[in-house]
């Protein structure tokens, strides 16, 4: 009888070094190291610092994942790694580590698209994705509405993407404007708890975009916050940080939920999956649940620890690829920092 695959996933696209181990859709163990604190003084991720942090973290984080799963390296049957998109220097470190592991263990290697990993993260909590669903990916670098059938077998259809800043990027920039620090998402959410969401009416860009109903733009709301802060400071008054944070969060969440729910309605699909770092946002989860409950849409959102970048989500994609019979990418897979999401597995360069 064939043994179940035991897939090691490697993630290093930004400032988290992640290893996860998945078998038959179940998370066996994981290890995660973050270099976020090293980037805080710069207000954002510095690629060179991230890459060095990945180098330092690779071996100890791998050991943590194996220990957490109660496994040894010889128990791994397949390796999957983020090969794009992401920070070039960061992606290269994780992919090189994955190649080394696959080569040393003589195991197949799969090059995985980072955003497919976010989508697959939900399967570790709620089981297989439905046959046809809408997926809203909201992270620091990407905001997209996708129409997804079989995640690893079928092409992934982009219904809409952001034209400029991703939602998470806008959170980081507004947090910096308000002096709340980095990363911006948790800082804004914490400040917003004490604020009035109706204190300021910030713009909801492209909320009624006729020809592009699922396209996003967040640079305008970021600029509106900057101008508001500047105008208040000119008067000599104290900036109402909590009110601005709450009003900004409300504007972003309003756009995200409205467009995602509209996609479900117009495509006549009954499941909405929200994934990515910003999916950990409490207000987004609450508002999305309220709207989905009203319309009879099933909402699936992974727990916060599976929303941010992690190796478990990459292992989840690798596990799906192995079980679908997909051909391994092999050691010839190259990093593609600008990879567009068309499929879960990235192609091997010709």
């Amino acid at each position: 009888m064939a043994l179940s695959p035991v897939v090691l996933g490697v993630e290093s696209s930004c400032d988290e070094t992640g290893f996860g181990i998945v078998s038959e859709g179940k998370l066996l163990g994981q290890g995660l190291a973050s270099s976020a604190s090293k980037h805080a003084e710069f207000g954002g991720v510095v690629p060179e610092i991230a890459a060095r942090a990945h180098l330092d973290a690779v071996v100890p984080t791998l050991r943590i994942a194996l220990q957490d799963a109660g496994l040894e390296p010889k128990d791994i049957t397949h390796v999957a790694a983020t090969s794009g998109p992401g920070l070039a220097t960061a992606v290269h470190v994780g992919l090189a580590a994955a190649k080394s592991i696959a080569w040393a263990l003589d195991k197949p290697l799969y090059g995985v698209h980072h955003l497919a990993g976010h989508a697959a993260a939900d399967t570790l909590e709620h089981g297989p994705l439905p046959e046809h669903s809408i997926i809203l990916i909201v992270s620091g670098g990407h905001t997209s509405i996708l129409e997804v059938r079989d995640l690893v077998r079928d092409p992934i259809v982009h219904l809409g993407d952001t034209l400029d800043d991703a939602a998470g990027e806008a959170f980081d920039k507004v947090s910096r404007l308000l002096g709340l620090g980095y990363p911006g998402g948790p800082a804004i959410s914490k400040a917003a708890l004490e604020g009035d969401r109706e204190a300021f009416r910030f713009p909801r860009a492209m909320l009624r975009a006729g020809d592009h109903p699922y396209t996003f733009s967040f640079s305008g709301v970021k600029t509106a916050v900057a101008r508001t802060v500047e105008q208040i400071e000119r008067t000599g008054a104290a900036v109402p940080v909590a009110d601005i944070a709450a009003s900004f969060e409300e504007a972003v969440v309003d756009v995200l939920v409205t467009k995602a729910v509209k996609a479900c309605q117009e495509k006549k699909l009954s499941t909405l999956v929200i994934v990515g770092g910003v999916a950990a946002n409490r207000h987004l989860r609450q508002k999305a649940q309220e709207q989905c409950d009203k319309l009879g849409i099933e909402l699936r959102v992974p727990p916060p620890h599976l929303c941010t970048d992690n190796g478990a989500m990459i292992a989840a994609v690798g596990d799906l690829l192995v079980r679908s019979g997909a051909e391994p990418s092999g050691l010839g897979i190259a990093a593609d920092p600008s990879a567009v999401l068309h499929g879960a597995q990235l192609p091997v360069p010709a």
Side-chain angles (χ1 to χ4, degrees):
M1 185 174 67
L3 295 175
S4 298
V6 177
V7 183
L8 174 70
V10 186
E11 158 60 22
S12 69
S13 65
C14 193
D15 56 349
E16 276 91 19
T17 309
F19 285 84
I21 303 172
V22 170
S23 180
E24 298 285 352
K26 303 297 182 183
L27 178 59
L28 304 182
Q30 63 177 322
L32 186 67
S34 175
S35 60
S37 62
K38 298 179 181 179
H39 307 283
E41 65 180 288
F42 302 99
V45 177
V46 180
E48 291 78 6
I49 293 176
R52 290 170 187 161
H54 288 310
L55 283 170
D56 291 339
V58 160
V59 172
T61 308
L62 170 60
R63 287 174 175 162
I64 290 171
L66 288 167
Q67 183 177 15
D68 189 38
L71 298 175
E72 298 180 12
K74 65 180 178 61
D75 298 317
I76 301 300
T77 64
H78 301 78
V79 180
T82 294
S83 50
L87 302 174
T89 52
V91 173
H92 277 291
V93 174
L95 186 57
K99 287 183 177 183
S100 299
I101 295 166
W103 179 83
L105 298 177
D106 192 24
K107 302 300 180 183
L109 173 67
Y110 294 81
V112 169
H113 196 289
H114 173 76
L115 298 183
H118 277 304
D122 184 70
T123 68
L124 299 175
E125 180 71 16
H126 299 121
L129 293 170
E131 293 181 359
H132 198 181
S133 62
I134 295 296
I135 296 183
L136 171 64
I137 293 183
V138 205
S139 69
H142 303 87
T143 303
S144 301
I145 294 179
L146 310 172
E147 184 177 356
V148 176
R149 294 181 186 272
D150 188 298
L151 182 64
V152 299
R153 289 186 174 96
D154 298 324
I156 295 170
V157 178
H158 286 245
L159 299 179
D161 303 285
T162 184
L163 296 176
D164 38 60
D165 291 346
E169 186 179 5
F171 270 93
D172 286 340
K173 291 178 178 179
V174 167
S175 181
R176 189 159 60 244
L177 281 169
L178 297 176
L180 295 174
Y182 174 85
I188 290 285
S189 293
K190 182 178 180 180
L193 293 174
E194 305 297 325
D196 179 0
R197 299 189 184 279
E198 298 181 359
F200 298 89
R201 178 67 184 182
F202 291 126
R204 274 79 163 154
M206 304 190 76
L207 196 57
R208 295 175 179 83
D211 294 334
H212 305 283
Y214 311 121
T215 300
F216 298 97
S217 172
F218 295 107
S219 64
V221 65
K222 173 200 66 181
T223 301
V225 171
R227 288 176 177 170
T228 298
V229 171
E230 182 181 358
Q231 290 168 359
I232 294 171
E233 288 178 338
R234 283 178 180 174
T235 68
V239 175
V241 172
D243 287 346
I244 291 177
S247 299
F248 164 76
E249 184 179 57
E250 178 67 24
V252 173
V253 167
D254 190 14
V255 171
L256 292 170
V257 173
T258 299
K259 287 179 176 282
V261 168
K262 182 177 182 180
C264 290
Q265 290 179 296
E266 294 195 347
K267 295 295 180 179
K268 295 180 171 56
L269 296 175
S270 60
T271 303
L272 171 62
V273 186
I274 304 179
V275 297
V278 181
N281 180 280
R282 182 184 303 175
H283 188 52
L284 172 60
R285 298 164 83 97
Q286 291 175 342
K287 190 153 189 173
Q289 191 67 67
E290 290 171 3
Q291 292 301 310
C292 287
D293 287 346
K294 287 180 183 178
L295 298 168
I297 297 170
E298 179 192 6
L299 176 66
R300 293 175 47 149
V301 190
H305 73 275
L306 288 176
C307 290
T308 54
D309 295 347
N310 60 83
M313 69 186 198
I314 304 304
V317 179
D319 177 60
L320 290 171
L321 287 167
V322 172
R323 289 191 283 141
S324 73
E327 286 294 320
S329 305
L331 298 179
I333 187 69
D336 186 354
S338 302
V340 177
L341 179 60
H342 296 300
Q345 186 176 8
L346 288 181
V348 178

